[in-house]
Amino acid sequence: PVGVGGVDEDPWDVSLENPVLGQGDNLFTIDDNPVFATGAGTLGTIIDSARAAPLYTLSPATATDPEGVTVSYSLVAPGPAVSPGLSFDATNAAITGTADAVGGDTTTSFTVRATAGAQTADRIFSIEVKAPVQTYFTVAGSATQVINFSAPIKILVVGAGGSGSANGHDGGGGSGGVIVHPSYSATPQTYNYYIGSGGVKSPGAVGENSNWGVGTEPASTTSTILTALAGGIGSTTPASDGGSGGGRSHSNGPGGATLQVNSPLISADAQTYGFGNIGGSAPYSGPAHPSGGGGGAGNAGQAGQGGNTGGAGGNGKDVTSDFGTAQGSPGGHFAGGGGGGAHSGGTQGNGRNGGGNGAGTGNSGPGNPATDITGSGGGAGADGGNGVIAIAY
């Protein structure tokens, strides 16, 4: 406004009121762009064993409008397509479906446009689809594995095998317990794992535990740890308990018991998805009075047979459908029991699926050691095999 004499009374008094629309009507309004809920970059990783919704988890590609206008979505260049096999919903930006299998890890980038009225916002996202992965950890001791996604994965944990004690006429060593977990809930973190060494003959030893999880060896009641218990010793009085029990040596009595499915020291999952069996008994039968075979993860060890034949070890666990044939004895079979020996000579019991044969020479020699990295039990008087851990996704 201009005062008397043409002097501006307030040079900074600038009105934004619309003189046509009247007092209080604004000439200008502000219409903000939509705001995305997730920063640019990856929405997540889809592993091969969880390519079908809703097994995988992706961050949202949605946006909101500050003025409350309904937002719609579209895919625009560059990269106007999500990963092959997946679908993009223009009404809510949901990405669903079953991603196509890939031969190598594949990252697909795409641009999502959020539209609210006359305003738009673009953001580039990506999704990684991973090729099938199967990894075996076979070096005894502690190490780590990094997981960078959230999804169910398959885990195989095999405890180390027990020995056949010290003498060729002892019972066969029991195998380590086995865990076959089909859907372990992995999350992005560093996992600790421990692989145990097989029991060593003379005076005989239970193999070490093998485990997978956040924690330390040995067994723990911590629910996040999967622990496969070690195999029992094939011994005299009594036969040793373990993941699978050791065979009873040349004296009347039962074999060792399995702890894998009922030990109070291990997590519920380690019991639920665990396998282990008892060792074979040794009913007295002279003069050789043969010993029982060690229990296997597949079934129990055989009792000493007749007058001069040691009991066979129990069968191992067949995991070929989930873990293929890259490892094991034969491939895809783990944790067989060791064969029992005969006290005064005779026929040795056969080891199963990596388990060592017992000795048919009585006191004069040991049986065969287990095939290493199988979690199998040693034959009478021989070493057990190391444990193994595998993951597949």
Side-chain angles (χ1 to χ4, degrees), residues 51-129:
R51 290 184 290 107
L55 295 176
Y56 54 82
T57 300
L58 300 175
S59 297
T62 54
T64 57
D65 181 69
E67 286 73 49
V69 178
T70 300
V71 179
S72 61
Y73 304 91
S74 58
L75 296 176
V76 298
V82 294
S83 302
L86 300 181
S87 299
F88 182 84
D89 192 323
T91 61
N92 58 17
I95 298 172
T96 58
T98 300
D100 289 354
V102 294
D105 295 351
T106 302
T107 298
T108 301
S109 296
F110 49 94
T111 304
V112 176
R113 172 166 291 172
T115 301
Q119 303 302 314
T120 64
D122 292 351
R123 182 154 289 180
I124 298 176
F125 298 109
S126 64
I127 296 172
E128 181 186 28
V129 179

Side-chain angles (χ1 to χ4, degrees), residues 320-336:
T320 53
S321 61
D322 289 321
F323 295 94
T325 59
Q327 297 281 347
S329 180
H333 295 74
F334 292 89

Side-chain angles (χ1 to χ4, degrees), residues 90-313:
T91 61
N92 58 17
I95 298 172
T96 58
T98 300
D100 289 354
V102 294
D105 295 351
T106 302
T107 298
T108 301
S109 296
F110 49 94
T111 304
V112 176
R113 172 166 291 172
T115 301
Q119 303 302 314
T120 64
D122 292 351
R123 182 154 289 180
I124 298 176
F125 298 109
S126 64
I127 296 172
E128 181 186 28
V129 179
K130 296 188 75 67
V133 172
Q134 187 174 110
T135 302
Y136 281 87
F137 308 107
T138 57
V139 178
S142 301
T144 60
Q145 172 72 6
V146 177
I147 297 293
N148 61 2
F149 52 81
S150 294
I153 65 177
K154 299 176 182 179
I155 294 185
L156 168 69
V157 186
V158 184
S163 74
S165 192
N167 303 301
H169 56 80
D170 284 326
S175 75
V178 169
I179 298 169
V180 185
H181 199 308
S183 56
Y184 186 83
S185 297
T187 57
Q189 61 180 289
T190 298
Y191 285 89
N192 302 316
Y193 65 87
Y194 183 90
I195 297 174
S197 298
V200 179
K201 65 180 181 182
S202 187
V206 172
E208 297 176 280
N209 296 335
S210 296
N211 69 34
W212 166 276
V214 181
T216 56
E217 197 274 339
S220 168
T221 54
T222 304
S223 62
T224 55
I225 298 177
L226 295 178
T227 299
L229 298 177
I233 307 165
S235 55
T236 306
T237 309
S240 177
D241 301 338
S244 290
R248 182 63 174 253
S249 186
H250 64 95
S251 64
N252 189 30
T258 173
L259 298 176
Q260 184 60 56
V261 297
N262 58 19
S263 170
L265 297 179
I266 61 177
S267 67
D269 272 2
Q271 298 174 44
T272 300
Y273 300 104
F275 299 88
N277 290 281
I278 63 175
S281 61
Y284 189 87
S285 176
H289 44 283
S291 301
N299 59 15
Q302 186 183 43
Q305 299 294 292
N308 62 357
T309 301

